[in-house]
Amino acid sequence: MKKLVILTGAGISAESGVKTFRDSDGLWKNYRIEEVASPVAWQNNPEMVLEFYNQRRKQLFEVKPNAGHIALVRLEEKYNVQIITQNVDDLHERAGSSNVLHLHGELKKARSTVDPNLIYSLDHWELKMGDKCEKGSQLRPHIVWFGETVEMINPAVEIISGADIVIVVGTSMVVYPAAGLINYVRDESAKYYIDPKAFQVHGIANLEMIRKKAGEGVPPLVDQLLKQA
Ligand code: APR
């Protein structure tokens, strides 16, 4: 089976009703998201940071996968599919995708602040001050904050370097290192970029831009790829 890698960003969840970062002028309660999703904010005002993620987690229990997420699952019939997502929602998993790598963490998980290997699934929306890990330290969102290391980037480079086909969906390609992954794809591999603002990424060969929303652009491409498999 050919290896097909899908790199997604906030845009694939937009039609599920989840706000993107830069389309919603990147603000939350008049804070810049970069100010809230950061170790400094956690140091100075952990309650505010917890509330930011609690509100997004609460919304996650109210939204569902859209046609874009669902269509991608069908590719698993004929391809060895790996999703690499910048999103922290679980909509790919809920749509039925089998292999999802989260570059920036997961909203429905929390982790210890003394031992990053202690990670807990959250089955409710609220993470509060006083919620502690088994070692007695405050739990934090299992999210990669601005300025923190993207621990999963090396496995992601490994995966995308071996791709025969790459589909990029719903990302502005401005946040590194995620945006740099496209540079590791072999020149001869077919690449598709589905996004209303899709642009020719500098120096990337064999890239087809599909300037459509995910719900509109993903299903026909999936049909085409299943036919040619
Ligand atoms: N279908 C497809 N793409 C869409 C849709 C849609 N319905 N609506 C918006 N888009 C596109 C926008 O054109 C834009 O290119 O989704 C992209 C959203 O870009 P960003 O808001 O920058 O989101 P993303 O690229 O995922 O941001 C990357 O930045 O803030 C950090 O960690 C955060 O993971 C995030 C990272």
Side-chain angles (χ1 to χ4, degrees):
M1 273 183 162
K2 283 192 175 180
K3 289 186 181 159
L4 193 153
V5 176
I6 303 159
L7 174 64
T8 63
I12 193 162
S13 297
E15 288 154 275
S16 295
V18 181
K19 273 189 175 175
T20 65
F21 289 87
R22 288 161 190 86
D23 291 349
S24 55
D25 57 46
L27 286 181
W28 174 72
K29 283 188 172 179
N30 299 326
Y31 289 105
R32 291 210 50 74
I33 288 173
E34 288 80 353
E35 290 168 334
V36 178
S38 73
V40 170
W42 177 250
Q43 208 62 38
N44 298 338
N45 191 343
E47 294 82 356
M48 174 190 69
V49 176
L50 286 177
E51 192 201 344
F52 172 66
Y53 288 101
N54 284 344
Q55 288 197 1
R56 292 175 65 200
R57 199 174 298 113
K58 194 173 183 188
Q59 186 201 29
L60 199 43
F61 283 100
E62 292 151 12
V63 299
K64 57 185 186 8
N66 63 57
H69 297 107
I70 293 163
L72 293 177
V73 181
R74 289 194 288 121
L75 288 165
E76 295 185 20
E77 293 159 22
K78 296 205 176 157
Y79 292 92
N80 171 354
V81 179
Q82 172 72 52
I83 292 187
I84 298 173
T85 187
Q86 300 170 82
N87 299 339
V88 294
D89 64 52
D90 61 345
L91 293 173
H92 281 303
E93 291 90 339
R94 285 164 53 194
S97 286
S98 315
N99 307 307
V100 183
L101 182 155
H102 286 269
L103 284 172
H104 296 161
E106 298 177 64
L107 207 43
K108 287 191 175 174
K109 289 187 179 165
R111 75 165 183 262
S112 162
T113 42
V114 282
D115 179 351
N117 299 313
L118 292 179
I119 298 168
Y120 305 86
S121 289
L122 295 171
D123 54 9
H124 55 288
W125 63 273
E126 204 173 10
L127 183 59
K128 301 186 296 297
M129 289 309 285
D131 289 348
K132 296 194 185 304
C133 76
E134 58 212 71
K135 292 186 175 174
S137 87
Q138 173 65 43
L139 288 175
R140 59 163 273 184
H142 181 48
I143 300 284
V144 179
W145 285 331
F146 287 94
E148 291 188 321
T149 309
V150 178
E151 303 290 349
M152 297 304 285
I153 194 65
N154 291 333
V157 167
E158 196 69 31
I159 290 163
I160 208 162
S161 305
D164 300 306
I165 300 172
V166 172
I167 306 174
V168 179
V169 189
T171 174
S172 56
M173 300 283 270
V174 296
V175 175
Y176 287 79
L181 284 170
I182 190 83
N183 298 300
Y184 290 90
V185 185
R186 300 195 307 266
D187 280 352
E188 65 274 18
S189 301
K191 305 165 195 76
Y192 304 88
Y193 184 6
I194 303 174
D195 185 311
K197 296 179 197 152
F199 60 94
Q200 173 56 53
V201 182
H202 181 69
I204 300 297
N206 228 337
L207 174 73
E208 180 183 337
M209 289 163 284
I210 301 170
R211 289 200 180 95
K212 289 183 179 165
K213 291 185 173 184
E216 209 184 318
V218 173
L221 177 62
V222 167
D223 293 339
Q224 174 196 320
L225 291 171
L226 287 174
K227 260 193 214 102
Q228 72 185 43

